[in-house]
Amino acid sequence: MRTALLFLCLCIFNKNFAQELTSGGKLKPEQAIMDIRHYTINLAVDFDKQSISGFTVIDFVLSQPTPVLLFDLMNDMKVDKIWVNGKEAPFTHTNALITITPATAVAAGKTSVKVQYGGKPHVATRPPWEDGFTWTKDTLGHPWMSITAEAAGGQLFYPCKNHPSDEPNEGADLIITVPKGLVVAGPGLLQKVTKQKNTATFYWKTKYTINNYSILFNVGDYAVVTKTYTTVNGNKVPMEFYVLKADEAKAAHHLDVLAQIASVREKYFGEYPWVQEKIAIAETPHLGMEHQTMNAYGNKFRYEKIGGVDNDWLMNHEFGHEWFGNKVTVKDWADYWIQEGICSYGDALYTREMGGEQAYIDHFKQTAFGIENKKPVVQGKDIDEESAYIGDIYSKGAFFMHTLRYVIGDDVFFPALKQLSTASQYTYDNLVSTDDVEQLFSKASGKNLQPLFNFYLRTTQKLEVHVTTLRQNKYRLVLDNIDMELPVDIVTDKGVQKMTLSKKPITITSATLPQVDPDMYYLKKVILE
C-alpha cells in the first residue's frame, strides 16, 4: 500500500519501526469482546507547537460484561479525562495502552467512551514507510501537514481498537479545527465549515465501514478542483482534488487521468465502492497512501505513457486500494498480500487494458526478477503489520494472481476475481482471509487449488520442472515438488503447446530442446539433465 514499484519495494526491507508503531498481532481478550461501531474525533491542530488537542468518542458493542476496557493510544498523547457512558472513570495510560477501570463492570451491549487528550503526535521521519505526522511548508510558504498511519494504525493520534479485524461499521466523524486560511481534507463528505476569528473547523463524515488507518486528515493551502465521474453502473460521483494552490493549474488534467484509471478498475473489479460519497485525492508532502475516499498523492504529476495515454503509476496503485484494502479488507495482517498483491495485480491489468496482452506479459517478466522469496508471503496467523510487511506481498502476491489466471483460464478467473471484489461475503463489513480467496477460486474452477495457494503463498519454493533427455529427440518432463496437475506452455519444434505436467512423468518428442513456460506464468526452476 505504500508503493508498488519494485525499486521502491527495496526500501521496505529497511523499514525499522519501533514496536509500538505497528498494529494487529494477537487480539487481546479484553478487545476481542468489543465490536467498534463508530469514532468521533474532534481535534484542534496547532502548527506552531506541532500539537493536537481535543477528544475522541468511541461507540461500540460489548458481547459480554467486563470490568476493564482497553484502547490503544501512543504515549505521545497525554490523556486528561475519560468518561464511560457519561460517567468519569479512572484509567492508566502506559505502553501505548489505555486501561479503563470503571467503578462497576460495564454491561454487555452498547457502550460509549469519551477520551479527552492532547500532545505532540509522533513525527514521521521517512513517510510513507515510517508512520506519523509530517509538519512542513509548501513552496509558497504556507503550513502543510499530513498523516501516514498504515502500519501504526489510528493509535498515532486517537484512542482506538488498533486491530485490522474490527472496523467501525457505522463510519467516523472528524471535526478538525485549523488556523484560518488552511483547508482540511478528510474521508467521506464535508458536512460544513465553521469559521471563527482566527480558525476554521471542518466537519467530515463517512457512513461507510472504514479501516482505522484511513481515518485521518491532511491540512494545507488547498484549492478544491472538481469534476463529475459517471460509474460503470451510471451513478454520478463527485471527483475532488485537494491540490496546493501552487499546483492548481495541473489539477484538471490529473482528474482526467484519474477518471481513466477508475474506468479500467471498474471493468475488472466492479463499480467504485463509495458511490454515496466521493472520489478524491489530497496533495501531500509524501509520495502517497490509500485513504478511503481521500487518497494521499505526492508523486508530483510525473506521468508515463501506456497505450499513448498519460498514467500516474502511484495514483493508479493507491486508487486501486479503494477495492483491495478498503472494500476488500483482511482481518489478519498475515493475509496482507490480498490487499497489496491483488491491488498490484490491478496495476498490471491496467497495463493490459491500455497497452495490450504483450505489455502485461512483459510486466510480469520484469516483476519476477524483483521477487525476494526470503520469507513466505503468508507467514502464519495473528501477525502484526511490521512482521507481515515485506516486498513480496506486492510483487509475489501480484505474480501469484498472474499464475492463477493462467492455471484456471480467463473464463473462470475474471468472473471469480470480480466476485471477490463485489460479493457481500467478501466486502465492506465482511473481512477476508487467504483461505476465503482460495475457496472462492477453487469453487469457481471446480479444482482443488489449495496446493497451489499453499505452495506459492506459504512457502518460498519455486516450481521445479525436471527435463531429462532420454535419447535423440525424446524428453521426459515431470514436476518435482508439487503434487497437482498444472498446465505449462512447452516450446518444441512444433511450436508452443500447452501440456499438463505433474509428478507423473510425460514423454515428448522434439527436434529441439524443449523450452518451458517461455512467457513466465510461473516462478520456476528448470532442471535439465
Side-chain angles (χ1 to χ4, degrees), residues 281-303:
I281 53 177
E283 192 170 0
T284 56
H286 61 83
L287 272 173
M289 183 67 67
E290 73 278 11
H291 300 142
Q292 188 167 304
T293 73
M294 185 64 83
N295 283 283
Y297 174 77
N299 201 35
K300 301 185 185 301
F301 308 94
R302 292 182 287 228
Y303 302 120

Side-chain angles (χ1 to χ4, degrees), residues 103-149:
T104 59
V106 184
K110 293 182 178 180
T111 307
S112 183
V113 170
K114 179 179 179 180
V115 181
Q116 182 178 305
Y117 63 100
K120 294 185 175 184
H122 179 80
V123 173
T125 58
R126 193 164 58 91
W129 294 279
E130 197 269 348
D131 286 338
F133 279 54
T134 297
W135 306 88
T136 187
K137 293 183 183 295
D138 64 22
T139 57
L140 300 179
H142 299 105
W144 194 16
M145 187 275 286
S146 69
I147 304 170
T148 51

Side-chain angles (χ1 to χ4, degrees), residues 183-217:
V183 175
V184 178
L189 293 176
L190 183 61
Q191 305 298 300
K192 63 180 179 179
V193 180
T194 304
K195 294 184 178 180
Q196 299 87 23
K197 182 178 180 181
N198 297 313
T199 60
T201 300
F202 290 75
Y203 179 9
W204 286 94
K205 183 181 188 69
T206 178
K207 295 181 179 180
Y208 284 108
T209 299
I210 184 170
N211 54 60
N212 73 12
Y213 63 82
S214 286
I215 303 174
L216 49 71
F217 57 95

